[in-house]
Amino acid sequence: MPARLPSWAWVSGLTVGAIAAVSVLAVQADQGPRPTAADAKPSPSASADAHPTPKETAPAPVPDGSGTGRRVVYSVGQDRVWLVDASDAARRSFTVWPGTVDPDSGEYSVGTRREDPTTGSDGIQVEQIMYFAQEDGVWVAFSNAVDGSSPPPAADAKTGGIRLPKADGDALWEFATSGTKVTVVG
């Protein structure tokens, strides 16, 4: 009959075996390719989350010369909109995707509003349309695409749609009732 090992010897044997296995795996892992400085380029797949949450930042400052009081401010040069309350504080600011026709600088007001989806001049289904200007025979309006898309406008078409991300479109829809002042700056 074989000799029986003391229990401490059996536990020591397992520990030594586990250490040996980990050592072998570490050596194998160490044999892989080594990154170089050329490999240090960031890649989109480097993020653990495919849809990272934007960092909370202070609203961009409202442009000088955009008036006073409760209003929507649209900067053609910055492709940005501000929702400004009666105390002249920016309550929300966001970037937009303009069409090919820009309104002239000046004061306008929200006229017709259309909540139901319709086909925009670029063939995309849009909703929450707020018309506020007409330029070169083209109506200029804020809207958001039903599917959230924002394709680039066709270079050969005159389009006056100013597209907003869906959440920002919802906020603008609630803020800018008919008659709300819209100030356009360069």
Side-chain angles (χ1 to χ4, degrees):
M1 176 168 241
R4 185 175 167 137
L5 292 174
S7 61
W8 62 267
W10 182 74
V11 173
S12 292
L14 282 178
T15 303
V16 170
I19 291 172
V22 169
S23 297
V24 168
L25 292 173
V27 169
Q28 287 176 344
D30 195 40
Q31 299 304 313
R34 302 223 184 264
T36 64
D39 297 328
K41 297 175 191 163
S43 71
S45 62
S47 173
D49 185 359
H51 301 286
T53 303
K55 292 182 180 171
E56 193 76 26
T57 59
V62 179
D64 291 335
S66 67
T68 60
R70 189 176 188 282
R71 66 198 182 279
V72 175
V73 176
Y74 171 49
S75 170
V76 173
Q78 295 181 48
D79 294 335
R80 177 170 286 280
V81 168
W82 290 261
L83 307 183
V84 183
D85 68 16
S87 70
D88 288 325
R91 292 296 170 197
R92 188 176 185 123
S93 179
F94 45 89
T95 56
V96 297
W97 303 282
T100 59
V101 176
D102 291 323
D104 287 334
S105 294
E107 272 193 24
Y108 303 88
S109 62
V110 173
T112 304
R113 290 172 23 118
R114 181 180 179 153
E115 186 171 18
D116 297 330
T118 188
T119 302
S121 57
D122 58 1
I124 301 297
Q125 285 287 106
V126 294
E127 63 185 354
Q128 298 177 327
I129 306 159
M130 291 162 274
Y131 297 94
F132 67 91
Q134 190 174 26
E135 194 69 41
D136 293 331
V138 175
W139 281 103
V140 180
F142 297 113
S143 65
N144 52 278
V146 172
D147 67 2
S149 68
S150 182
D156 59 343
K158 285 183 162 187
T159 59
I162 301 167
R163 289 287 164 72
L164 303 99
K166 175 72 172 132
D168 296 321
D170 291 344
L172 181 61
W173 182 259
E174 292 299 317
F175 183 86
T177 57
S178 290
T180 299
K181 183 169 45 171
V182 177
T183 303
V184 176
V185 297

